[in-house]
C-alpha cells in the first residue's frame, strides 16, 4: 500500500531552519524568512516556494507512518515540474586542469588549463564541452545545488601608454 503525498507549510527562521516533527531541519540560509511548502513523498522532501516553484529536494527526516501527525499536514496536490532541461554553467579550468561544480572537483586535463568550459548538468552526470565539442562526461557524486552559473575569468588588461607630464 502506498501512502499519499503529505505537505505542510512552514516559515523558515532567520538562519534558514524549520521545525518539523520536533527537530530543526536546515533548508537553506538563502531562504531565511520565507514561507515554504514542504512536500513529502517516499524518501524525498520537496521545498516549494509560495508561488509554486520547486526550490530544492532534501532527504525526508519524517518516517511515512508519522507524516499525517505533523501540525498542519494535508494531502498534497500535484508536484511542480522542475525547470525544463539541464542546468548549463560555465567554469574556467584552473592551471592544474580542474574545475568545481556543485562542490564536486572534476579533472578536465592540463591541456585545457585557463580555458572556459561549458558544463551541462543533470541528475546523474556532468557533460563538459569546449567549443561545442564534448571533452568529458563525468558521473555526478554530489546532490548539492549549483549556486554559481558564470565563469569570471580575469580580463587581460591592455597595456596603457605611459603619460609624460610636462
Amino acid at each position: 500500500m502506498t501512502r499519499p503525498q503529505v505537505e505542510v507549510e512552514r516559515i523558515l527562521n532567520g538562519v534558514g531552519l524549520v521545525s518539523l516533527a520536533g527537530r530543526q531541519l536546515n533548508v537553506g540560509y538563502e531562504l531565511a524568512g520565507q514561507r515554504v511548502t514542504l512536500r513529502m513523498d517516499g524518501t524525498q522532501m520537496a521545498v516549494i516556494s509560495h508561488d509554486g516553484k520547486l526550490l530544492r529536494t532534501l532527504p525526508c527526516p519524517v518516517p511515512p507512518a508519522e507524516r499525517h501527525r505533523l501540525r498542519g499536514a494535508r494531502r498534497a496536490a500535484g508536484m511542480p515540474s522542475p525547470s525544463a532541461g539541464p542546468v548549463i554553467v560555465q567554469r574556467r579550468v584552473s592551471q592544474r586542469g580542474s574545475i568545481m561544480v556543485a562542490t564536486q572537483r572534476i579533472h578536465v586535463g592540463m591541456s585545457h588549463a585557463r580555458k572556459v568550459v561549458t558544463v551541462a548538468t543533470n541528475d546523474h552526470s556532468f557533460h563538459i564541452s569546449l567549443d561545442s565539442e564534448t571533452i568529458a562526461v563525468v558521473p555526478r557524486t554530489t546532490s548539492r545545488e549549483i549556486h554559481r552559473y558564470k565563469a569570471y575569468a580575469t580580463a587581460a588588461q591592455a597595456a596603457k601608454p605611459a603619460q609624460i607630464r610636462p
Side-chain angles (χ1 to χ4, degrees):
M1 180 175 112
T2 61
R3 295 190 182 270
Q5 293 179 351
V6 175
E7 67 182 17
V8 295
E9 283 190 9
R10 297 287 190 267
I11 296 177
L12 277 65
N13 68 9
V15 292
L17 299 176
V18 67
S19 178
L20 195 62
R23 291 177 268 192
Q24 292 288 319
L25 178 68
N26 186 3
V27 177
Y29 180 74
E30 61 276 359
L31 302 174
Q34 294 184 26
R35 176 180 292 275
V36 295
T37 301
L38 304 172
R39 184 169 296 158
M40 294 162 263
D41 182 26
T43 61
Q44 296 293 313
M45 180 174 66
V47 181
I48 303 166
S49 68
H50 68 282
D51 58 352
K53 181 181 170 192
L54 179 63
L55 298 172
R56 63 186 51 170
T57 57
L58 303 167
C60 187
V62 182
E66 296 179 18
R67 292 178 186 162
H68 69 281
R69 295 182 178 157
L70 294 171
R71 180 179 44 89
R74 63 179 182 263
R75 190 176 287 237
M79 188 70 152
S81 62
S83 59
V87 176
I88 307 293
V89 298
Q90 291 181 335
R91 294 292 185 267
R92 187 177 63 138
V93 181
S94 72
Q95 61 186 355
R96 302 301 293 162
S98 64
I99 60 173
M100 186 173 281
V101 180
T103 69
Q104 179 176 337
R105 183 164 301 280
I106 302 168
H107 188 71
V108 179
M110 294 210 27
S111 61
H112 303 295
R114 307 239 181 224
K115 296 178 184 173
V116 176
V117 295
T118 303
V119 182
T121 66
N122 60 32
D123 292 338
H124 306 290
S125 63
F126 296 113
H127 296 271
I128 304 161
S129 60
L130 177 66
D131 299 329
S132 70
E133 179 183 330
T134 300
I135 56 175
V137 176
V138 179
R140 187 171 182 162
T141 60
T142 180
S143 61
R144 294 278 183 107
E145 289 190 26
I146 296 174
H147 299 290
R148 262 187 51 223
Y149 294 93
K150 200 79 167 146
Y152 293 102
T154 56
Q157 295 286 331
K160 294 181 181 178
Q163 294 181 354
I164 302 174
R165 292 187 177 191

